[in-house]
Amino acid sequence: MGEIRNFRSGNHDEPPPHGPMPRRLAAIIVGDIASYSRLMQADEEGTHVRVKRIERDLIQPSIVEHHGSLVKTTGDGFIAIFDSPVEAVRCSIVIQQNLVGRNASVPKDSRIEYRIGVNLGDVIVEPDDVYGDGVNIATRIEGIAQPGQVFISGAIYEQIKHKVVCGYESLGDRKVKNITDPVRIYRVLPDADAVGRTRGRRENSLLFLLSVTLIVIAAGVLWYLLAQPPGRVNEQAAAPAVAPVASPSPQPPPREAATQTPQPSPSLTASSPSPAPAPSPAAAPLREPEMIAIRGGSFAMGSNDDPTERPVHQVTIKPFSIAKYPVTVQEWNECAAAKACGFTATGKDDAPVSNVSWTDAQQYVAYLAQATKKPYRLPSEAEWEYAARGGTQTKYWWGDKLQPGMAGCKDCGGLAAEQPAKVGSFKPNPFGLHDMGGSIDQWVEDCWRKSYQGAPNDGSAWTGGDCSSHVLRSGSWKNDSRYVRPSNRDGYDTNVRYPTHGFRVALSP
């Protein structure tokens, strides 16, 4: 945003008319469009329209969704405040990742990219403005950020480091203009594994340079020997020799960087063939998910524990099949190897795939349906809850009280983990399904709505209308036990990846 703007309107030399201004501790987001002046110069009217559309369709709804308040827009940016640092950072990630999708088809020099800075500080709040060092520091952090990135202060980092599933790259202490003390700054990496991969790339680069050096040395020695007259070479051969230089040979990449061939998971069907990368889904040896057939029936869907789960309503489910486990890293990477899924997942083969958007999940079910000629799909929300309950109507499928070791969540018992356990680590429910609560958030087919008012009662997916967000079920290993309940539901942006989000597949008869 260039120079710090004065975020309080009016004459600043005048005393406040009604005593001291209200102060509060808040998380502040300051966003600014990179190269805004250049974009306006190239297409003033078009840029203005695009910016306003982004503010209306993305920035404002994301702030509201994450329980924040939009203080103001500033032409080339925006300021928002939040009670929760966690929600402020999550909102920033959602905005940046949504913009990646919006910019995908736009020429690079025409893209609208935001730099975002987030700070936790004491601010003075007016009805239509906010100001103070807390805002100024957020502004300075935003000025350091790169286009498309989220930079946060050390104060924010200390509040969220164990609560938001992200990677963080420390940029050290920075001296920023008009702020007395240096500010510690971190770059947010939405993919929690990004730090490890960055470190791995550095190690691989060093190994590559070392290999090149050895090859050059060996080639020089070989050239020297071939350039000598035959007699000279023989004399050297008769003389005491230094240690011979081995001829360079292709070396395998380090284990950390090698692409390992997925091995059959013990939780999957033993007779399934081992996968091999192939140019198309039809040519790839395929490991089909193990499916459980679910008989049709009726049940009371929802609960009175949360407004989003009301009203409780009777739903009739037709017979269908649903996967015994969430989709694994190994299964996902078969799709990626076939060039049908958009990225290669990291993690153990038998862990549930994570950091998947709803759109990504649709890519996988389309690949699976094409490769098998079977009608694979995501389950509807009603089908998912029916299957998760396993014929019960209690708070959890095993009863009304939490029992240790029955699900993977933050307070479900067992050791805390930075990643979800492998699929099938916990007991199955009465239908024989694993991880229908905890472990990994799971996308379903339905568009997100904040209640069941008007929901279908035939078990079909509730689609149509505004589908910018879709429904997630199950909760994850990072959530508490409230999210493990079969009736728990949440919504998230359709095209945005988040590190705790995965899915499982369903199959029509």
Side-chain angles (χ1 to χ4, degrees):
M1 287 186 181
E3 288 300 310
I4 288 184
R5 298 181 175 87
N6 211 326
F7 294 111
R8 180 186 172 197
S9 55
N11 188 339
H12 298 186
D13 296 326
E14 293 179 1
H18 302 293
M21 292 288 185
R23 305 186 72 99
R24 58 179 285 198
L25 183 67
I28 306 102
I29 293 178
V30 175
D32 174 71
I33 300 171
S35 303
Y36 179 75
S37 297
R38 177 180 57 78
L39 292 168
M40 288 293 284
Q41 186 175 11
D43 181 9
E44 185 175 70
E45 186 174 336
T47 298
H48 177 74
V49 169
R50 290 166 62 204
V51 169
K52 289 302 177 185
R53 184 180 297 121
I54 289 171
E55 290 175 354
R56 183 188 68 241
D57 297 345
L58 173 58
I59 291 173
Q60 293 181 22
S62 296
I63 291 168
V64 171
E65 183 73 21
H66 292 87
H67 314 294
S69 298
L70 179 64
V71 175
K72 65 191 296 185
T73 57
T74 58
D76 61 342
F78 67 94
I79 304 165
I81 58 174
F82 296 75
D83 291 327
S84 165
V86 170
E87 293 293 349
V89 174
R90 282 191 63 186
C91 178
S92 301
I93 293 170
V94 166
I95 289 171
Q96 294 291 39
Q97 294 196 344
N98 255 305
L99 285 168
V100 170
R102 287 171 176 263
N103 283 325
S105 60
V106 179
K108 190 171 182 179
D109 60 355
S110 299
R111 292 175 180 175
I112 293 177
E113 296 179 303
Y114 282 78
R115 300 181 298 244
I116 290 180
V118 190
N119 180 46
L120 180 67
D122 189 62
V123 296
I124 299 174
V125 181
E126 291 185 340
D128 58 353
D129 221 332
V130 61
Y131 67 101
D133 272 356
V135 182
N136 294 342
I137 291 172
T139 303
R140 292 306 185 196
I141 295 172
E142 168 268 306
I144 296 171
Q146 301 159 6
Q149 298 286 332
V150 177
F151 281 20
I152 62 175
S153 67
I156 288 285
Y157 173 76
E158 291 300 325
Q159 295 295 319
I160 72 167
K161 60 184 177 181
H162 300 306
K163 299 174 184 176
V164 179
V165 189
C166 292
Y168 306 96
E169 180 183 3
S170 175
L171 303 179
D173 292 340
R174 299 287 186 92
K175 186 72 175 71
V176 297
K177 187 176 179 181
N178 296 333
I179 303 298
T180 304
D181 297 324
V183 179
R184 176 151 293 184
I185 295 176
Y186 294 82
R187 181 165 70 98
V188 176
L189 306 166
D191 181 351
D193 294 323
V195 173
R197 287 202 299 274
T198 301
R199 187 181 302 115
R201 284 196 295 270
R202 292 196 195 104
E203 293 169 355
N204 293 344
S205 298
L206 291 174
L207 287 169
F208 173 75
L209 291 173
L210 179 59
S211 299
V212 170
T213 302
L214 290 174
I215 290 171
V216 169
I217 292 171
V221 171
L222 182 61
W223 174 85
Y224 176 78
L225 293 174
L226 292 176
Q228 301 303 313
R232 178 65 175 163
V233 174
N234 291 337
E235 288 172 9
Q236 290 180 347
V242 291
V245 179
S247 298
S249 59
Q251 296 295 319
R255 290 182 66 87
E256 293 81 0
T259 302
Q260 299 178 357
T261 302
Q263 298 300 316
S265 165
S267 63
L268 301 175
T269 307
S271 60
S272 299
S274 296
S280 68
L286 178 68
R287 188 188 316 274
E288 284 195 62
E290 186 174 348
M291 306 297 289
I292 300 291
I294 306 296
R295 291 185 297 177
S298 295
F299 78 111
M301 183 175 180
S303 80
N304 290 313
D305 292 342
D306 189 272
T308 65
E309 300 166 18
R310 303 173 190 158
V312 178
H313 56 293
Q314 200 71 17
V315 178
T316 300
I317 301 292
K318 298 176 182 177
F320 71 105
S321 294
I322 191 168
K324 187 174 183 178
Y325 311 103
V327 171
T328 64
V329 168
Q330 182 177 19
E331 290 168 333
W332 174 270
N333 282 342
E334 291 173 2
C335 177
K339 311 300 183 187
C341 288
F343 68 96
T344 299
T346 59
K348 295 182 179 179
D349 286 345
D350 54 6
V353 68
S354 60
N355 209 27
V356 176
S357 70
W358 184 88
T359 305
D360 292 329
Q362 291 293 345
Q363 288 180 349
Y364 180 84
V365 294
Y367 153 79
L368 199 59
Q370 179 184 347
T372 63
K373 308 305 179 188
K374 297 177 183 178
Y376 281 102
R377 55 181 174 82
L378 292 181
S380 71
E381 186 175 12
E383 289 173 334
W384 194 98
E385 183 171 329
Y386 181 74
R389 290 185 178 279
T392 69
Q393 282 295 142
T394 48
K395 186 174 183 177
Y396 309 101
W397 63 256
W398 58 82
D400 286 321
K401 293 185 178 180
L402 188 65
Q403 295 181 18
M406 299 298 285
C409 78
K410 189 166 61 175
D411 57 349
C412 286
L415 297 175
E418 291 301 316
Q419 298 293 332
K422 70 177 184 179
V423 298
S425 293
F426 301 94
K427 292 181 180 180
N429 74 359
F431 285 172
L433 301 169
H434 291 263
D435 307 320
M436 297 293 280
S439 182
I440 196 79
D441 291 305
Q442 297 169 36
W443 291 109
V444 295
E445 187 68 28
D446 304 54
C447 303
W448 169 250
R449 291 172 173 83
K450 293 183 178 180
S451 77
Y452 285 133
Q453 196 67 46
N457 59 10
D458 61 356
S460 61
W462 197 3
T463 57
D466 178 14
C467 260
S468 59
S469 300
H470 277 80
V471 176
L472 284 160
R473 287 305 200 114
S474 177
S476 79
W477 81 99
K478 285 288 186 181
N479 297 126
D480 60 44
S481 56
R482 293 173 298 172
Y483 292 79
V484 171
R485 299 175 298 108
S487 60
N488 172 69
R489 58 195 300 265
D490 201 355
Y492 207 76
D493 304 70
T494 298
N495 298 313
V496 178
R497 295 170 182 158
Y498 195 73
T500 64
H501 295 173
F503 66 104
R504 73 175 69 216
V505 299
L507 185 62
S508 299

